[in-house]
Amino acid sequence: MDKREIKSIIEGLLFTFGEPIDCNEVAKVLGIPNKEVLSILLEMKDEFDFNRRGIRIIRFNNSFQLGTRPEHHEWIKQIVQGRNTRSLSNAALETLSIVAYKQPVTKADIDHIRGVKSDRSLETLIGRRLAKEVGKLDKPGKPNLYGTTDEFLRYFGLESLKELPPIDDFRIEEIEEE
Amino acid sequence: MSYNVSVEVFEGPMDLLLNLIDKNEIDIYDIPINTVTDQFVSQLRKWEDMNLEVASDFIIMAATLIEIKSKMLLPKEIVLVDGEEVHLDPREELVMRLIEYKLYKDISESLKSSEDVYSKVYYKPQEDVSDFRDPFEELNAVQLMDLVDTLQNILQRHRYDNPQENFFEIRREEVSLEECTRDIEDQVKINGKIKFSDIITAQASRSRIIAYFLSLLELMRTRFIYVRQNDSFSDLIIEMRGI
């Protein structure tokens, strides 16, 4: 199978699957080594961007998915009415910031930083699959530890957690302000 | 006649405190604790006058501020750090907490702008390919002997070959909601879309059906799934909820 054909098959797979598909899964279907599939997928992603296709290949961690370009929203929204885009409340965003940068983190730590109880916002985040329980802290009471999900990456357009801006960037900003 | 009511919204006492610091253009490392405490407390009073319930978190913060204020009146505590005398500032802990809170507040604003951009992306739901599957595919590999074996297994399990043991104790069936919920979750995760009748086997007892139905309501409440029904009394179609 030549590369062109492989790319073509992968495009069909991504279209049919709709949901994020793991690179390993694609490799299994095609019977090609994982590494090769990954490099082809990354190449395809660049090609889609280079050719300014209306469909983009979105990557997060090891998963790939087709999606539209955010800058086309203005036009797309005119044909898809009533889409439910509830954005997150400030409280939920604050909580999520702490979860993202301090994970794994307990609810008590989050409450301490925010100075208020964060039960409700944490519940919202888990309900929207942006955060999840990732284990328990080995301390009295065995409190739950929370972390972010793949959905979190997709939601904020990140490829991996490494893409989060380093926390020091925000600290520097503060010093500049003064 | 119309009323214009504007109430500033604060995410908590830390948020209010930061707001006061911003408003007064105060150096966060050198907070004039008198001014800030007065303003903080008068804000709480204002809320009380408006008949708003003041959350206990705000009252704790007010108490902390007053405690710091009173400590400021006392001579500074001196501790030795590496042989050097260091004056303890009673404000230090609060300042550290404020700086940390401000950090995450700033981060949350940056997340907010990413959210604004990426909520404008559209995805396609998974294709439903169940129509293209051969319903008898699973049976292709079945041989006659398999049927014989299976029948024998069933007979053995029901002990028809031994009339002596043809007595059973009838137990009350225990159905746990957790078990049913997990079952639905698993099935939805695997198949994406299922029918309620798929979950309920023909032998399911009434209590089991009720347990499944309660689990279904619970999963709808936690927004894991949504359920639709095309006509009255028709089958319930259960789908995993997309975000």
Side-chain angles (χ1 to χ4, degrees), chain B residues 155-184:
Chain B
L155 290 179
Q156 212 153 40
R157 226 179 308 142
H158 291 273
R159 299 183 180 134
Y160 282 119
D161 48 346
N162 190 349
Q164 289 250 293
E165 288 180 31
N166 218 348
F167 297 96
F168 304 101
E169 185 185 354
I170 298 173
R171 283 173 188 270
R172 175 183 289 213
E173 189 188 18
E174 303 252 344
V175 189
S176 87
L177 270 184
E178 286 82 23
E179 194 187 303
C180 296
T181 309
R182 222 176 307 122
D183 192 27
I184 298 179

Side-chain angles (χ1 to χ4, degrees), chain B residues 218-232:
Chain B
E218 175 65 16
L219 286 170
M220 284 167 74
R221 191 185 67 80
T222 58
R223 300 181 159 275
F224 182 75
I225 54 166
Y226 60 80
V227 173
R228 65 196 154 81
Q229 190 178 28
N230 292 332
D231 298 295
S232 302

Side-chain angles (χ1 to χ4, degrees), chain A residues 1-30:
Chain A
M1 233 183 329
D2 70 338
K3 208 173 184 182
R4 248 175 74 122
E5 191 58 21
I6 295 176
K7 282 184 181 171
S8 173
I9 295 170
I10 292 180
E11 195 173 334
L13 283 176
L14 287 173
F15 170 78
T16 315
F17 206 72
E19 300 279 312
I21 186 166
D22 195 280
C23 178
N24 295 340
E25 198 75 29
V26 180
K28 226 189 285 166
V29 172
L30 290 167

Side-chain angles (χ1 to χ4, degrees), chain A residues 11 21 44 80-81 83 88 97 104 118 123 162 164 166 170 176:
Chain A
E11 195 173 334
I21 186 166
M44 286 172 70
V80 284
Q81 271 152 20
R83 185 167 106 139
L88 293 166
S97 309
S118 308
E123 215 174 276
K162 284 189 209 113
L164 278 174
F170 294 97
E176 278 170 356

Side-chain angles (χ1 to χ4, degrees), chain B residues 37-48:
Chain B
T37 308
D38 288 350
Q39 290 185 0
F40 192 92
V41 173
S42 71
Q43 180 68 53
L44 300 198
R45 290 246 164 78
K46 216 159 86 193
W47 285 339
E48 268 177 354

Side-chain angles (χ1 to χ4, degrees), chain B residues 148-159:
Chain B
V148 175
D149 287 346
T150 311
L151 180 66
Q152 235 144 31
N153 277 338
I154 293 169
L155 290 179
Q156 212 153 40
R157 226 179 308 142
H158 291 273
R159 299 183 180 134

Side-chain angles (χ1 to χ4, degrees), chain A residues 88-139:
Chain A
L88 293 166
S89 68
N90 287 337
L93 279 167
E94 274 181 31
T95 307
L96 191 56
S97 309
I98 299 169
V99 173
Y101 278 89
K102 282 189 91 93
Q103 59 184 313
V105 64
T106 63
K107 195 179 78 63
D109 285 340
I110 300 170
D111 290 351
H112 183 73
I113 293 172
R114 297 191 57 227
V116 279
K117 293 253 170 253
S118 308
D119 303 57
R120 280 288 304 271
S121 8
L122 207 50
E123 215 174 276
T124 311
L125 294 173
I126 292 169
R128 294 182 68 168
R129 283 184 278 157
L130 295 167
K132 64 176 178 197
E133 283 177 34
V134 290
K136 291 196 190 294
L137 188 66
D138 198 15
K139 285 249 176 82

